[in-house]
Amino acid sequence: MQQHLNGIAKMLLNHAKTFRLHTGNLVSRSRLKKKCPGSPSEELRDCIQATLSDWISTAKLSSKDLTEILECSIPEATDAITPEEREEVKVSVKLFLCESGQSSIKEAVEMACQTLAVSQLDSVIIAPPGPLEGDSQSLAHLQPAWEELEALVRSKQIAAIGTSDLDKDLLEQLYNWAQIKPSSNQVNLASCCVMPPDLTAFAKEFDIQLLTHNDPKELISAGTFQEAVREGAQDLNIADWRLEWVLRYNVIVKSRGIIKSKGYLVSAKKAST
């Protein structure tokens, strides 16, 4: 039976051009709750592997389901927010873009809204792909992504937008250029144990919230992603998938400050043959 399911999963993966995975709520998923991952990268890797494995063994897979966009999620692990509780929670998102030169921000935001059954995300922090070897992060590198975010604020799909790992000079350049200003900037405490004084002063003057994070520069490498998918799919040969973006969401109960749900959405495209 399992071999039959694996065969169908392989057929679906081979036919699809886009592969999207939703881990479901990690706060309530018992299989992942027992293990405390050491880093965001390990957590994501474990989530991809476990979700794919559960999807193959529990979803009603059929060869009739051949489609170009393959959605992989566990039905009972969804995180839909009811209209009654929407006012009580804050939905915050961090979007890691894995490829430059392609615009998938709108697609990622729409998938998050659909998954959580909300019309607007309260905040989105963008982590663009790192610059190419030898280049440094620049305003020109950030502008295309920021313009996409601004359009989503105008269409009311996002309330506030923020950045990640910008130093004072780059944050100032972005602030001066942007039509919709950044409301926050995340700083990695691994790279600086104390907030740089110039960044703190600038953020205070222009009312930009400085937040801390412990995400690595590359949340998950192409090799680790392939490995997680291969293991989750019981070694099916899927070496031709390219990670597009990873979106991590937190749903926080405002009055108590606790995380009600947390999960990842992942999108990969089949590499052109």
Side-chain angles (χ1 to χ4, degrees):
M1 178 66 182
Q2 188 59 47
Q3 213 167 359
H4 173 65
L5 288 174
N6 281 2
I8 294 175
K10 185 170 184 175
M11 191 194 302
L12 295 176
L13 279 161
N14 282 341
H15 183 81
K17 291 200 168 98
T18 301
F19 166 62
R20 296 210 179 122
L21 179 139
H22 171 217
T23 60
N25 184 0
L26 304 189
V27 176
S28 61
R29 271 193 78 184
S30 56
R31 185 167 163 186
L32 292 165
K33 212 161 46 174
K34 291 174 192 148
K35 185 180 173 190
C36 293
S39 70
S41 299
E42 284 173 36
E43 176 179 67
L44 177 57
R45 185 195 176 289
D46 290 349
C47 287
I48 291 170
Q49 186 187 332
T51 302
L52 195 53
S53 172
D54 286 355
W55 175 71
I56 289 172
S57 56
T58 62
K60 294 178 171 59
L61 301 183
S62 160
S63 53
K64 296 191 190 93
D65 296 332
L66 288 179
T67 174
E68 292 202 347
I69 299 177
L70 183 62
E71 305 270 356
C72 165
S73 64
I74 314 301
E76 60 275 18
T78 56
D79 282 348
I81 295 166
T82 64
E84 297 75 46
E85 63 184 351
R86 180 64 184 100
E87 288 300 306
E88 315 295 321
V89 297
K90 179 183 180 189
V91 182
S92 60
V93 156
K94 185 167 182 180
L95 178 58
F96 302 84
L97 299 175
C98 307
E99 295 187 334
S100 40
Q102 51 93 343
S103 58
S104 48
I105 296 172
K106 188 175 193 308
E107 176 187 283
V109 165
E110 284 176 351
M111 187 175 169
C113 287
Q114 191 182 345
T115 301
L116 299 170
V118 297
S119 58
Q120 184 184 59
L121 305 175
D122 294 302
S123 76
V124 173
I125 284 173
I126 192 93
L132 297 169
E133 204 69 44
D135 287 349
S136 58
Q137 183 90 284
S138 67
L139 179 61
H141 183 73
L142 288 170
Q143 282 168 326
W146 198 258
E147 284 175 330
E148 269 202 82
L149 287 173
E150 289 180 327
L152 291 165
V153 173
R154 289 190 196 98
S155 65
K156 304 227 176 338
Q157 283 168 287
I158 304 174
I161 47 181
T163 54
S164 185
D165 300 315
L166 300 195
D167 60 18
K168 183 257 174 186
D169 290 345
L170 194 47
L171 184 60
E172 185 173 12
Q173 287 174 39
L174 177 67
Y175 188 91
N176 291 335
W177 166 80
Q179 292 186 331
I180 297 171
K181 310 297 182 189
S183 64
S184 60
N185 179 44
Q186 279 193 340
V187 179
N188 190 330
L189 282 187
S191 59
C192 63
C193 300
V194 266
M195 292 279 186
D198 61 343
L199 181 62
T200 309
F202 178 79
K204 190 174 176 187
E205 185 182 349
F206 293 97
D207 198 25
I208 298 169
Q209 192 180 11
L210 291 181
L211 307 165
T212 59
H213 75 95
N214 65 339
D215 297 313
K217 276 200 163 52
E218 184 178 50
L219 186 61
I220 187 167
S221 69
T224 305
F225 172 68
Q226 292 291 351
E227 196 182 296
V229 176
R230 261 201 301 276
E231 286 178 18
Q234 284 92 32
D235 294 322
L236 297 182
N237 181 23
I238 44 83
D240 51 355
W241 289 93
R242 220 178 55 231
L243 198 57
E244 272 190 297
W245 51 263
V246 175
L247 180 148
R248 182 176 63 218
Y249 61 84
N250 285 300
V251 178
I252 299 152
V253 179
K254 290 180 197 169
S255 59
R256 293 156 66 203
I258 59 163
I259 295 177
K260 178 180 179 288
S261 65
K262 169 191 177 176
Y264 290 92
L265 301 173
V266 178
S267 181
K269 272 242 185 315
K270 186 162 280 179
S272 322
T273 44

